[in-house]
Amino acid sequence: QVQLVESGGGLVQAGGSLRLSCAVSGSFASINVMGWYRQASGKQRELVAAISSGGSLNYADSVKGRFTISRDNAKNTVYLQMNSLKPEDTAVYYCNADVKKYVSTRFFTNYWGQGTQVTVSS
């Protein structure tokens, strides 16, 4: 069973920083795109940032210049460095990954982490 486990969330003041980590574990062959989504209370889940296995990047306009996504393929881990945090960044942050379970398969299966709370106080 493939699992994604997030860590690094917490409570910070506006202007502060947090670094989120997400490690993929279990039985699988490879990982394609990895990303971070967030969902604020009463709001729709939205893409924050994504990174492909080749290093292509995608950021939400609201976080460009403040957040940086990166990955360590050897550790099967994706990171989200969040700087200059704002109260509007408060949300549950979810890790997401497209995982190829077997070398013989032609497709990837999408997985979600359980989420980690990020709260930014003013």
Side-chain angles (χ1 to χ4, degrees):
Q1 183 71 29
V2 174
Q3 292 184 328
L4 279 62
V5 180
E6 304 102 333
S7 62
L11 173 64
V12 298
Q13 293 184 325
S17 298
L18 282 175
R19 179 177 167 88
L20 305 183
S21 299
C22 172
V24 181
S25 64
S27 181
F28 60 92
S30 62
I31 305 171
N32 191 17
V33 176
M34 305 182 78
W36 290 95
Y37 291 72
R38 68 186 181 188
Q39 187 166 22
S41 180
K43 302 294 180 63
Q44 185 176 351
R45 187 173 299 187
E46 64 175 350
L47 174 69
V48 177
I51 182 169
S52 73
S53 60
S56 297
L57 305 172
N58 187 25
Y59 292 98
D61 289 340
S62 60
V63 307
K64 287 181 179 178
R66 300 188 298 121
F67 292 8
T68 302
I69 189 171
S70 61
R71 64 191 287 171
D72 186 335
N73 291 328
K75 296 181 179 180
N76 297 318
T77 300
V78 63
Y79 306 93
L80 185 67
Q81 179 66 48
M82 304 185 294
N83 298 326
S84 301
L85 283 162
K86 304 175 181 179
E88 47 264 48
D89 294 319
T90 296
V92 177
Y93 283 70
Y94 296 91
C95 181
N96 180 269
D98 285 336
V99 178
K100 188 176 183 181
K101 290 187 175 182
Y102 306 99
V103 176
S104 59
T105 61
R106 299 177 295 172
F107 60 92
F108 293 82
T109 302
N110 190 253
Y111 291 90
W112 290 94
Q114 294 182 348
T116 183
Q117 177 71 47
V118 172
T119 302
V120 184
S121 64
S122 60

